[in-house]
């Protein structure tokens, strides 16, 4: 059964580790992530962007697929199904469809509007038992056509949003989605430290987990990050493994064109990536 992400992230913050949010795109992705979490006895958050939700057919299809896999694969570790960077309307759709967690990304609104919309959604989410993440300071890079510059959040604005009753907070600290450019300045630990001091026990979320060096990840966890989002890295691993399979001509041998064979190396590559991240984040054995 799906659970909200509140308890697993409170536990993670108190225990100085982070739970991975891995974004899903299809059945193979979801199965690989769930099986790895179960094997490693780790809690896990399945992230669904609005674009990925649409791609998979819609939010009800996603909920049906995930709930079916939890049952059929006997997944017993805590799993949350979380809307990633939700719009105001998207949040309501996911609450209705049976998600267990939502993120409202109001970072592009003026702070007063972000506060007003987040306040309304906190009530709507909590009334149905879902957890809710909010964002201050837009995360850089491009995700589903939404381009952000990688701002550093204002710690006072973080406090204002944290006080609305949200369950975890994404604060921009110079992180970006996708691959980091050569001239990237690194994470702003000064900002993270200031945000944590203002927001206390609130679990903090680090978006753009792909390509952040291990030492920075560990330092971020020490400064209160309890949830780390990874998307691009699984996509790159899946694409590289699939490319290798095709370039080796294996799709042309026997029944190598069967999707169950064609997509298998990519699915295994996702498992390996998720395992590596769970080990780095310290969530192994924490279910
Ligand atoms: P990456 O694609 O950079 O791993 O970022 C994922 C993310 O933050 C999803 O919200």
């Amino acid at each position: 059964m799906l659970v909200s992400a509140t308890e697993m992230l409170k536990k993670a913050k108190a225990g100085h580790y982070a739970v991975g949010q891995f974004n899903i795109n299809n059945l193979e992705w979801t199965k690989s992530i769930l099986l790895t979490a179960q094997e490693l006895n780790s809690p896990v958050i399945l992230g669904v962007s609005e674009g990925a939700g649409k791609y998979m057919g819609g939010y009800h299809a996603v909920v049906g697929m995930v709930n079916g896999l939890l049952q059929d694969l006997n997944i017993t570790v805590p799993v949350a199904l979380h809307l990633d960077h939700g719009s105001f309307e998207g949040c309501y759709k996911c609450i209705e469809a049976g998600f267990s967690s939502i993120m409202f990304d109001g970072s592009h609104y003026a702070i007063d509007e972000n506060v007003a919309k987040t306040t309304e959604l906190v009530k709507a989410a909590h009334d149905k038992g879902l957890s809710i993440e909010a964002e201050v300071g837009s995360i850089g890079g491009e995700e589903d056509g939404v381009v952000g510059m990688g701002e550093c959040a204002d710690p006072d604005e973080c406090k204002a949003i944290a006080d609305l009753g949200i369950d975890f907070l994404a604060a921009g600290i110079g992180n970006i989605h996708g691959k980091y450019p050569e001239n990237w300045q690194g994470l702003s630990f000064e900002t993270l430290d200031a945000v944590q001091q203002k927001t206390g026990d609130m679990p903090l979320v680090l978006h753009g987990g792909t390509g952040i060096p291990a030492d920075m990840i560990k330092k971020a966890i020490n400064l209160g990050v309890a949830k780390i989002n990874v998307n691009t890295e699984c996509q790159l691993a899946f694409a590289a493994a699939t490319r290798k399979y095709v370039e080796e001509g294996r799709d042309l041998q026997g029944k190598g064109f069967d999707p169950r064979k064609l997509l298998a190396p990519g699915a295994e590559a996702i498992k390996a990536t998720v395992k590596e991240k769970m080990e780095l984040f310290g969530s192994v054995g924490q279910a």
Side-chain angles (χ1 to χ4, degrees), residues 21 23 84-85 103 133 139 142-143 175-180 206-211 227-235:
Q21 172 192 305
N23 286 51
D84 190 27
H85 293 283
M103 172 188 189
E133 171 180 349
I139 314 293
E142 183 180 341
E143 196 173 51
N175 42 333
I176 63 171
H177 293 122
K179 290 182 186 175
Y180 284 86
L206 182 63
H207 281 248
T210 295
K227 171 175 179 277
I228 303 177
N229 294 4
V230 177
N231 181 18
T232 307
E233 212 156 314
C234 288
Q235 297 184 346

Side-chain angles (χ1 to χ4, degrees), residues 17 42 44 85 88 96 114 123 132 145-146 161 178 194 216 231 272:
Y17 61 92
S42 169
V44 73
H85 293 283
F88 191 67
E96 183 269 325
N114 193 355
K123 183 168 179 352
I132 175 165
V146 181
I161 296 283
M216 284 195 204
N231 181 18

